[in-house]
Amino acid sequence: MFDLLAGLLNFYYSLVHSYIAAISMLTLTVMLLLAPLTVKSTRSMLALQRLQPEIKKLQAAHKGDRQALNEAMMAFYKEHKINPLGGCLPMLLQMPVFIIMYQVIRGLVQPTGPKYLDPEHSELARAILRDSADVGKKGGRMIELGIDLAKSASNIGGGIGKAWPYYLMVGLVVATGYIQARQMSSRQSPQAAQANQQAQMIQKIFPIIFGVISLSIPAGVVVYFIVSNLFRITQQGLMYKYDPQLKATVAKEVKEVEAKAVELKKQPKAKPKDTPAPAVGQGGSGNGQGPRPSSRTGGGGGPNQRNRSRSKKRRKGR
């Protein structure tokens, strides 16, 4: 595998005479080989996200019974034709390629000369030797656009003035990772996003993790990360636009959300509660028309006032 990737890198360099372009073409080759599996895993991830509310219901129904939950989940996945590990497979298959790329680039810039390639028959090896002014002491170099692709952002001296292109590349890794995650999460319904908050958090953390990794690996491998992220962003955009299965899944989610919105609009609105009338004897009349007139201000008075009037009449008659 080391010789194979080094040979492909040498082949592409002989075509374009550019380190960055050769690494990009090698990355695209790997991504195209993984494309069918990536399409399948993207479908599986979207279906799994859409069904998260149902999965939460199963987990609540079988809370405390691990075996029953596992059996119910397996039956659920089988019914909906979902592979719960499908979304991880492309990433797992890329890990060996990433490790090999890291070792190949390190091997090509060894102080003793390029490893994996024979300078007599390799144009890439000869170019690396030409770029290495003092190969015996400083090791090999892969210089392009003023950047040594054999070095990382963490081992560049001279302050930010010399290191900024490396940090810019690390920033591109993080930015493209966020765009890719955002592209995926934006296709979820609000109910699925609410039910799958853990996956939302992982999607936000992963770009930062890859950014930290990119600080200490050769810039040539960082190019691999950037190109692979851009490829996946483009691939997912095309899938959402042209893949009939994904279009049907997204359309179904949209219809479900619209139907729920219509249902909420049809529900009668709750009537506001009437303000309770003040009780008799607490300054109110009991009929919502304000306080009852006082005997001192006239207006007929109450029972006590009428009794006092009768008593006065009787005394006068006597």
Side-chain angles (χ1 to χ4, degrees), residues 34-300:
L34 294 176
L37 186 59
T38 305
V39 169
K40 199 171 182 179
S41 71
T42 304
R43 291 173 177 171
S44 181
M45 278 193 294
L46 280 176
L48 197 60
Q49 290 171 358
R50 186 174 63 85
L51 295 170
Q52 277 299 316
E54 301 299 324
I55 293 173
K56 290 288 183 183
K57 290 179 183 178
L58 282 178
Q59 291 172 344
H62 299 283
K63 190 175 181 180
D65 191 343
R66 194 76 175 175
Q67 184 176 353
L69 176 61
N70 289 337
E71 292 175 357
M73 292 291 284
M74 292 304 295
F76 182 81
Y77 291 144
K78 187 175 181 180
E79 177 187 353
H80 293 278
K81 299 178 181 179
I82 297 173
N83 181 3
L85 300 177
C88 304
L89 287 176
M91 185 64 68
L92 292 175
L93 289 175
Q94 282 187 70
M95 288 307 294
V97 179
F98 157 68
I99 295 170
I100 294 169
M101 278 285 293
Y102 174 75
Q103 292 294 343
V104 164
I105 290 177
R106 287 188 62 188
L108 289 174
V109 293
Q110 291 294 316
T112 55
K115 192 178 178 182
Y116 308 117
L117 296 174
D118 182 4
E120 293 185 5
H121 305 94
S122 168
E123 193 168 351
L124 175 61
R126 291 194 295 271
I128 292 171
L129 290 174
R130 284 195 303 268
D131 285 343
S132 305
D134 192 358
V135 71
K137 293 180 181 179
K138 298 182 181 179
R141 295 187 294 177
M142 301 174 70
I143 307 294
E144 184 155 344
L145 300 177
I147 303 172
D148 187 353
L149 299 176
K151 291 186 177 182
S152 64
S154 60
N155 61 14
I156 291 293
I160 194 67
K162 289 186 177 180
W164 72 266
Y166 298 86
Y167 287 109
L168 177 61
M169 293 174 70
V170 172
L172 286 174
V173 171
V174 177
T176 52
Y178 268 121
I179 292 172
Q180 184 190 349
R182 177 82 174 172
Q183 187 184 36
M184 179 69 71
S185 61
S186 65
R187 301 291 175 171
Q188 297 184 50
S189 64
Q191 294 83 0
Q194 183 68 24
N196 201 18
Q197 293 181 354
Q198 187 176 3
Q200 296 278 329
M201 183 60 65
I202 291 173
Q203 288 178 350
K204 292 177 181 178
I205 292 174
F206 257 42
I208 298 175
I209 293 174
F210 279 101
V212 173
I213 293 172
S214 299
L215 288 171
S216 56
I217 60 176
V221 186
V222 178
V223 172
Y224 174 85
F225 279 166
I226 295 171
V227 175
S228 61
N229 284 349
L230 291 173
F231 179 89
R232 279 192 289 267
I233 291 169
T234 305
Q235 183 183 34
Q236 286 179 179
L238 292 173
M239 286 175 63
Y240 291 135
K241 190 172 183 179
Y242 297 110
D243 183 10
Q245 187 169 337
L246 278 185
K247 287 173 70 176
T249 300
V250 173
K252 187 175 181 180
E253 286 190 3
V254 171
K255 285 182 180 179
E256 289 175 357
V257 172
E258 290 176 349
K260 193 165 186 178
V262 171
E263 185 180 345
L264 288 173
K265 286 182 180 179
K266 289 181 179 179
Q267 291 179 358
K269 295 182 179 179
K271 294 182 179 180
K273 294 182 179 179
D274 294 334
T275 304
V280 176
Q282 295 182 357
S285 63
N287 58 4
Q289 296 180 358
R292 184 174 294 176
S294 169
S295 61
R296 295 180 181 178
T297 58

